[in-house]
Amino acid sequence: MISLPPSVRPARGLYLITPEEPGTTRLLARVAAVLPHATWLQYRQKGADAGLRHAQAAALQALCTQAGIPLIINDDAALAADVGAAGVHLGEDDGDIAAARALLGPQAIVGASCYDDVALAERAVAAGASYVAFGAFFPTTSKVTTRRATPALLAAAAVLGVPRVAIGGITPDNMGPLVAAGADLVAVIGGVFEAPDPVAAAKAYRQAFAGA
């Protein structure tokens, strides 16, 4: 078991993931409106070139610094280092966890997608991951998924001693069993950013966590 960075220990609540937004000004406006209700923010932008990704990540880092919210970069430890982000999130095929930890340092947040596999989570934590993410728990339109996680998986991962993130089709109405099973954070894109009222949606997630 690793010693968690101070920035990870109190982690509980809404883990917001940015939408695919090519306009930096619009992205910042959309994020700024809901950021006060988040615990962490992840920058995820699959379709942009390196220049736009760097510009958006740097702008979000400034916004997160002002708000006191950790920014985590999806799949790119070098970009996280360049903009001074709090950490990186890596998928199964997106980079080496130990290398990311070495690059970003002992205080960084290094997350790992573990899908429906506790053994994968065990290996990730042994390599230096400071949180593990499981999913998809429910159908989602944010990405193509072939694996389904269950609440029992969250409970089984408690022995790893790191925060557990639940992702995939999670709403304020269906998240209760996940939190009860041990989810420390719920990761959301469309549930907030595609909602008719994103601020109200973000508040609803936070309130559901408080009541769980």
Side-chain angles (χ1 to χ4, degrees):
M1 185 180 301
I2 66 171
S3 177
L4 297 181
S7 56
V8 176
R9 293 186 190 123
R12 181 175 171 82
L14 177 60
Y15 184 0
L16 273 177
I17 302 176
T18 61
E20 298 277 333
E21 176 59 70
T24 301
T25 299
R26 177 170 162 76
L27 175 64
L28 291 175
R30 295 178 72 184
V31 170
V34 295
L35 194 58
H37 308 292
T39 299
W40 291 348
L41 178 73
Q42 182 185 128
Y43 173 57
R44 180 179 183 271
Q45 174 60 280
K46 298 290 190 179
D49 61 31
L52 179 59
R53 282 171 51 81
H54 190 282
Q56 290 187 338
L60 288 170
Q61 174 59 27
L63 189 67
C64 286
T65 297
Q66 186 176 20
I69 301 245
L71 175 67
I72 297 164
I73 304 297
N74 181 266
D75 293 350
D76 194 335
L79 179 58
D82 285 347
V83 302
V88 67
H89 181 90
L90 297 174
E92 189 173 21
D93 302 315
D94 294 323
D96 182 74
I97 292 169
R101 171 63 66 199
L103 175 65
L104 298 175
Q107 296 300 306
I109 301 172
V110 178
S113 291
C114 301
Y115 311 100
D116 60 351
D117 190 342
V118 170
L120 183 59
E122 292 171 349
R123 293 193 296 272
V125 172
S130 44
Y131 75 86
V132 291
F134 296 105
F137 284 90
F138 306 101
T140 175
T141 59
S142 297
K143 63 185 296 186
V144 176
T145 60
T146 58
R147 304 181 191 180
R148 282 287 182 269
T150 65
L153 188 64
L154 293 165
V159 296
L160 299 177
V162 299
R164 290 154 287 170
V165 177
I167 191 170
I170 299 170
T171 71
D173 293 331
N174 67 22
M175 63 184 276
L178 305 182
V179 177
D184 298 288
L185 299 111
V186 293
V188 176
I189 307 174
V192 169
F193 289 107
E194 294 176 12
D197 185 340
V199 174
K203 288 180 179 179
Y205 282 100
R206 188 177 67 178
Q207 290 163 358
F209 237 107

